[in-house]
Amino acid sequence: MSVDPMAYEAQFFGFTPQTCMLRTYIAFQDYLFEVTQAVEQVILRKLDGIPGCDISPVQIRKCTEKFLGFMKGRFDSLFGKMEQLFLQLVLRIPPNVLLPEDKAQEMHPCGEKEFQLLQREIEELQERYKTEARAQQALLAELEEQKIVQAKLRQTLALFDELENAGRDQGTSDFRESLAFLVQNSRKLQNIRDSVEREGKRLKAS
C-alpha cells in the first residue's frame, strides 16, 4: 500500500484513496475465497456420483488450498500493479487542479512571507481582543460598583429627607433641637456608611 497520505484527494472524495484500494483488495480476496469454496463443493458432489472414485475429500481440500494459494499470489501481483495505476491516474487530483472551496487561493495567492505576516496579524488581533475583553470585564465590574454606591447614596438622601421632614413635623427648626434630633438618628447613618465601606472593600478585592 502507498504511504503517501493523499490528503487533498481525501478532502475531495471524503475518504483516502488507500482506504478505497484496501477495501477493494479485501472484497476481491473474500470473493476469491467464496468462489473457491463453491468450486470445491461442486467437485465433491461430482465425485460422489462417480462409482469407484479413489479421490478423497482430503485430497480435494489440499488441491483447493493449493489452487487458492496460487490464485492469491497471482492476484496480489496483479493488484499491486492495479493499485499503482489507480493511485497515480484515477484517484489522484492533478497538481494544477484546485477544489471549489480552494478557489480563493487562486484569486488571492499568498507567499510564505505574506502568510507569516497574516499569522502575526491574527495573533495581534487575538491578543487585542483578549485585552479588550479584560477591559470590558473591568468596566462592567466598575459599573456594578457604581450602581451599588448610587443605591447607598439614594438611601442616604432619603434618610436626610426623612430627618428634615421629621424636624418640620416636630417643629424643631432651632439648630440645637435639630442637632439633638440628628444625634438620635446618627446610628442609621453610621450603619449605612459601614455598609458602603464593606461593599467597596469587597469589590476591590474581587
Side-chain angles (χ1 to χ4, degrees):
M1 298 294 290
S2 172
V3 295
D4 182 4
M6 301 182 72
Y8 205 51
E9 286 76 8
Q11 179 182 336
F12 175 72
F13 292 114
F15 55 84
T16 62
Q18 291 89 342
T19 301
C20 176
M21 297 306 301
L22 178 60
R23 291 180 178 177
T24 303
Y25 177 82
I26 293 173
F28 268 105
Q29 290 276 29
D30 292 343
Y31 182 72
L32 178 61
F33 182 74
E34 291 175 2
V35 169
T36 304
Q37 278 189 323
V39 170
E40 181 182 11
Q41 294 300 321
V42 171
I43 293 174
L44 289 174
R45 284 197 300 270
K46 292 292 185 180
L47 290 177
D48 288 340
I50 300 176
C53 180
D54 296 333
I55 303 176
S56 65
V58 175
Q59 291 176 312
I60 297 298
R61 172 54 59 90
K62 289 182 179 180
C63 292
T64 301
E65 292 177 350
K66 186 176 181 181
F67 174 77
L68 181 62
F70 170 79
M71 291 298 297
K72 186 178 181 301
R74 294 292 298 170
F75 172 74
D76 288 345
S77 177
L78 293 174
F79 187 84
K81 297 178 181 179
M82 184 180 71
E83 178 191 19
Q84 192 174 18
L85 290 175
F86 266 74
L87 294 180
Q88 290 180 355
L89 303 177
V90 179
L91 298 175
R92 179 175 295 277
I93 297 177
N96 60 328
V97 175
L98 283 177
L99 297 180
E101 58 267 29
D102 296 330
K103 286 293 184 181
Q105 297 182 10
E106 185 177 22
M107 298 174 61
H108 306 285
C110 179
E112 184 177 355
K113 292 183 179 180
E114 294 177 346
F115 179 73
Q116 292 177 354
L117 289 175
L118 287 174
Q119 279 189 322
R120 284 197 293 270
E121 185 177 352
I122 291 173
E123 291 175 357
E124 291 176 0
L125 289 174
Q126 289 177 340
E127 189 63 31
R128 189 181 304 174
Y129 170 78
K130 293 178 181 179
T131 302
E132 291 180 357
R134 289 192 293 267
Q136 184 180 11
Q137 292 296 327
L139 288 174
L140 290 174
E142 184 178 353
L143 181 61
E144 190 67 23
E145 181 180 356
Q146 289 178 358
K147 290 180 180 179
I148 295 173
V149 172
Q150 286 177 355
K152 296 298 182 181
L153 288 176
R154 281 194 294 268
Q155 291 180 3
T156 303
L157 291 175
L159 178 60
F160 277 116
D161 290 339
E162 291 178 3
L163 291 175
E164 184 178 357
N165 293 332
R168 290 174 181 175
D169 293 340
Q170 296 181 8
T172 56
S173 57
D174 183 73
F175 175 75
R176 291 182 180 179
E177 293 178 357
S178 298
L179 181 60
F181 187 76
L182 288 173
V183 170
Q184 293 177 359
N185 294 276
S186 61
R187 292 183 179 179
K188 293 183 178 180
L189 289 174
Q190 182 69 29
N191 292 335
I192 292 176
R193 191 195 67 178
D194 294 340
S195 177
V196 171
E197 289 179 353
R198 285 195 300 271
E199 192 66 22
K201 291 179 180 179
R202 186 184 67 81
L203 290 172
K204 289 181 180 179
S206 60

